[in-house]
Amino acid sequence: MSISKNLNNIKSILPEHVTLVAVSKTKPVSDLMEAYHADQRVFGENKIQEMVDKHDIMPKDIEWHMIGHVQRNKVKYMAGFVSLIHGVDNFKLLSEINKQAKKHDRIIDCLLQIKIASEDSKFGMTPNEALEILQSKDFSEFQNIRITGVMGMATFTDNESQIKQEFKLLKSTFEDLKKLKIPNCELQTVSMGMSGDYPLAIDCGSTMIRVGSSIFGSRNYSNQ
Ligand SMILES: *Cc1c(COP(=O)(O)O)cnc(C)c1O
């Protein structure tokens, strides 16, 4: 199947309120351009340097999303153009994003990554930690950040009821945070669902899915 056919298949079952992030990590620019010509404008990368390189040479009407774990010392490289940072999971990182956004005289949209999986390897904060950060005085002073939602990754398992439970936890965390009414928060996005579980994620209230291999084919890490 071609990239454009894969994209169109996914889009054909996507409710209107759900945004598709095409996860293009490790894929060559030619693959991304094929998706671009099929009208895809939102791309997700998990390494800052790779995203910067692709941004430099690709059309400028693309929205670039950082979906991976963010190293604080690299925020400066993407601060001028990144549209949304999905994986914000600590206060120091927020502080650095705010600082770099200010240098570029812009506001950077961020999602708080919530740990919903039972595995240890997944990054993220607890719902309570998210609540505490958003209610803190320090956070209220960040003028160059807007929290627009939450992001999570379910456990890698075949157990559908477990995945469903984890997605529901993310959705209810989103609803709880939404009640707070904090000035630099405009909660509208629940980023959950990947190639293996996005239909379930949408059923559980996802508004943004991050799909890689179902669009671009499986990834080959052997040459990295
Ligand atoms: C790689 C990645 C995806 C996409 O995974 P697929 O299974 O290829 O769809 C989604 N989210 C994050 C955070 C990723 O790192």
Side-chain angles (χ1 to χ4, degrees), residues 24-187:
S24 47
K25 61 194 187 194
T26 79
K27 296 296 176 181
V29 166
S30 56
D31 283 6
L32 278 72
M33 283 309 296
E34 194 176 331
Y36 181 86
H37 289 305
D39 283 338
Q40 182 63 28
R41 290 294 181 273
V42 184
F43 290 86
E45 292 283 336
N46 74 335
K47 294 214 165 67
I48 292 173
Q49 191 55 54
E50 186 175 341
M51 184 171 80
V52 169
D53 292 344
K54 287 172 173 170
H55 166 263
D56 283 350
I57 55 180
M58 288 186 63
K60 294 297 171 269
D61 60 344
I62 290 174
E63 264 187 40
W64 292 98
H65 289 202
M66 175 43 56
I67 63 166
H69 181 66
V70 178
Q71 285 171 278
R72 234 182 307 144
N73 60 345
K74 292 187 179 162
V75 171
K76 54 180 178 282
Y77 303 118
M78 65 175 169
F81 70 89
V82 67
S83 288
L84 182 63
I85 303 176
H86 289 233
V88 179
D89 67 355
N90 65 78
F91 184 82
K92 279 184 169 173
L93 179 57
L94 271 175
S95 175
E96 176 66 13
I97 296 169
N98 185 62
K99 179 175 144 193
Q100 297 300 333
K102 193 173 182 148
K103 282 187 190 165
H104 290 272
D105 194 24
R106 61 186 295 247
I107 291 172
I108 296 182
D109 288 347
C110 297
L111 305 180
L112 296 182
Q113 183 168 359
I114 309 294
K115 182 177 154 60
I116 54 172
S118 56
E119 299 149 15
D120 278 343
S121 61
K122 300 265 166 37
F123 297 102
M125 50 182 134
T126 65
N128 262 334
E129 285 167 338
L131 212 75
E132 274 171 26
I133 285 183
L134 295 190
Q135 290 177 303
S136 69
K137 181 167 182 300
D138 289 336
F139 176 75
S140 71
E141 284 162 4
F142 290 158
Q143 307 232 318
N144 295 78
I145 279 191
R146 182 166 46 218
I147 303 293
T148 58
V150 294
M151 178 268 211
M153 284 171 93
T155 303
F156 188 71
T157 172
D158 290 334
N159 183 345
E160 196 166 295
S161 72
Q162 182 182 353
I163 297 174
K164 199 168 171 176
Q165 222 172 23
E166 293 173 358
F167 283 156
K168 285 192 165 164
L169 171 63
L170 188 62
K171 173 73 173 175
S172 68
T173 301
F174 170 78
E175 297 297 343
D176 289 345
L177 296 178
K178 215 173 147 167
K179 288 184 200 133
L180 293 177
K181 303 256 187 299
I182 289 166
N184 36 358
C185 290
E186 276 171 45
L187 293 177

Side-chain angles (χ1 to χ4, degrees), residues 23 25 46 67 151 153 194-196 210-214 219:
V23 176
K25 61 194 187 194
N46 74 335
I67 63 166
M151 178 268 211
M153 284 171 93
M194 313 181 8
S195 292
R210 310 175 307 268
V211 179
S213 39
S214 291
R219 287 176 292 274

